[in-house]
mmCIF file of all heavy atoms in Angstrom:
data_model
loop_
_atom_site.group_PDB
_atom_site.id
_atom_site.type_symbol
_atom_site.label_atom_id
_atom_site.label_comp_id
_atom_site.label_asym_id
_atom_site.label_seq_id
_atom_site.Cartn_x
_atom_site.Cartn_y
_atom_site.Cartn_z
ATOM 1 N N ALA A 8 116.801 98.216 159.081
ATOM 2 C CA ALA A 8 115.806 99.254 159.392
ATOM 3 C C ALA A 8 116.481 100.483 160.001
ATOM 4 O O ALA A 8 116.123 101.619 159.661
ATOM 5 C CB ALA A 8 114.742 98.705 160.344
ATOM 6 N N ALA A 9 117.448 100.280 160.856
ATOM 7 C CA ALA A 9 118.154 101.415 161.471
ATOM 8 C C ALA A 9 118.915 102.217 160.415
ATOM 9 O O ALA A 9 118.871 103.454 160.408
ATOM 10 C CB ALA A 9 119.111 100.921 162.551
ATOM 11 N N GLY A 10 119.584 101.534 159.526
ATOM 12 C CA GLY A 10 120.292 102.220 158.448
ATOM 13 C C GLY A 10 119.344 102.987 157.535
ATOM 14 O O GLY A 10 119.591 104.139 157.171
ATOM 15 N N LEU A 11 118.234 102.356 157.172
ATOM 16 C CA LEU A 11 117.239 103.021 156.336
ATOM 17 C C LEU A 11 116.611 104.212 157.056
ATOM 18 O O LEU A 11 116.306 105.236 156.430
ATOM 19 C CB LEU A 11 116.154 102.030 155.907
ATOM 20 C CG LEU A 11 116.588 100.983 154.885
ATOM 21 C CD1 LEU A 11 115.503 99.938 154.695
ATOM 22 C CD2 LEU A 11 116.940 101.634 153.558
ATOM 23 N N TYR A 12 116.434 104.095 158.356
ATOM 24 C CA TYR A 12 115.846 105.186 159.141
ATOM 25 C C TYR A 12 116.757 106.421 159.102
ATOM 26 O O TYR A 12 116.292 107.532 158.900
ATOM 27 C CB TYR A 12 115.615 104.719 160.574
ATOM 28 C CG TYR A 12 114.834 105.691 161.428
ATOM 29 C CD1 TYR A 12 113.576 106.119 161.049
ATOM 30 C CD2 TYR A 12 115.344 106.157 162.626
ATOM 31 C CE1 TYR A 12 112.856 106.994 161.833
ATOM 32 C CE2 TYR A 12 114.634 107.029 163.419
ATOM 33 C CZ TYR A 12 113.383 107.441 163.019
ATOM 34 O OH TYR A 12 112.666 108.320 163.807
ATOM 35 N N VAL A 13 118.046 106.191 159.267
ATOM 36 C CA VAL A 13 119.000 107.303 159.195
ATOM 37 C C VAL A 13 118.950 107.935 157.800
ATOM 38 O O VAL A 13 118.921 109.159 157.658
ATOM 39 C CB VAL A 13 120.429 106.833 159.551
ATOM 40 C CG1 VAL A 13 121.462 107.894 159.222
ATOM 41 C CG2 VAL A 13 120.508 106.443 161.010
ATOM 42 N N ILE A 14 118.914 107.097 156.777
ATOM 43 C CA ILE A 14 118.869 107.607 155.404
ATOM 44 C C ILE A 14 117.621 108.445 155.171
ATOM 45 O O ILE A 14 117.690 109.543 154.617
ATOM 46 C CB ILE A 14 118.944 106.438 154.396
ATOM 47 C CG1 ILE A 14 120.342 105.826 154.410
ATOM 48 C CG2 ILE A 14 118.563 106.902 152.986
ATOM 49 C CD1 ILE A 14 120.445 104.507 153.674
ATOM 50 N N VAL A 15 116.473 107.955 155.594
ATOM 51 C CA VAL A 15 115.226 108.691 155.332
ATOM 52 C C VAL A 15 115.167 109.975 156.152
ATOM 53 O O VAL A 15 114.660 110.990 155.676
ATOM 54 C CB VAL A 15 113.977 107.810 155.551
ATOM 55 C CG1 VAL A 15 113.622 107.647 157.019
ATOM 56 C CG2 VAL A 15 112.784 108.375 154.791
ATOM 57 N N LEU A 16 115.702 109.956 157.362
ATOM 58 C CA LEU A 16 115.718 111.189 158.153
ATOM 59 C C LEU A 16 116.581 112.252 157.473
ATOM 60 O O LEU A 16 116.191 113.429 157.399
ATOM 61 C CB LEU A 16 116.234 110.924 159.567
ATOM 62 C CG LEU A 16 115.326 110.120 160.491
ATOM 63 C CD1 LEU A 16 115.989 109.939 161.856
ATOM 64 C CD2 LEU A 16 113.964 110.754 160.646
ATOM 65 N N LEU A 17 117.727 111.846 156.973
ATOM 66 C CA LEU A 17 118.609 112.797 156.296
ATOM 67 C C LEU A 17 118.002 113.295 154.982
ATOM 68 O O LEU A 17 118.023 114.490 154.678
ATOM 69 C CB LEU A 17 119.980 112.168 156.045
ATOM 70 C CG LEU A 17 120.816 111.874 157.283
ATOM 71 C CD1 LEU A 17 122.070 111.092 156.917
ATOM 72 C CD2 LEU A 17 121.168 113.161 158.015
ATOM 73 N N ARG A 18 117.447 112.378 154.213
ATOM 74 C CA ARG A 18 116.901 112.757 152.911
ATOM 75 C C ARG A 18 115.655 113.623 153.050
ATOM 76 O O ARG A 18 115.548 114.700 152.465
ATOM 77 C CB ARG A 18 116.584 111.523 152.078
ATOM 78 C CG ARG A 18 116.192 111.860 150.641
ATOM 79 C CD ARG A 18 115.902 110.605 149.854
ATOM 80 N NE ARG A 18 114.752 109.929 150.360
ATOM 81 C CZ ARG A 18 113.520 110.053 149.874
ATOM 82 N NH1 ARG A 18 113.273 110.775 148.890
ATOM 83 N NH2 ARG A 18 112.518 109.416 150.393
ATOM 84 N N ALA A 19 114.697 113.173 153.838
ATOM 85 C CA ALA A 19 113.455 113.925 153.994
ATOM 86 C C ALA A 19 113.700 115.222 154.763
ATOM 87 O O ALA A 19 113.149 116.275 154.399
ATOM 88 C CB ALA A 19 112.403 113.072 154.708
#
Side-chain angles (χ1 to χ4, degrees):
L11 289 171
Y12 188 57
V13 169
I14 290 168
V15 78
L16 290 180
L17 293 173
R18 188 179 65 96

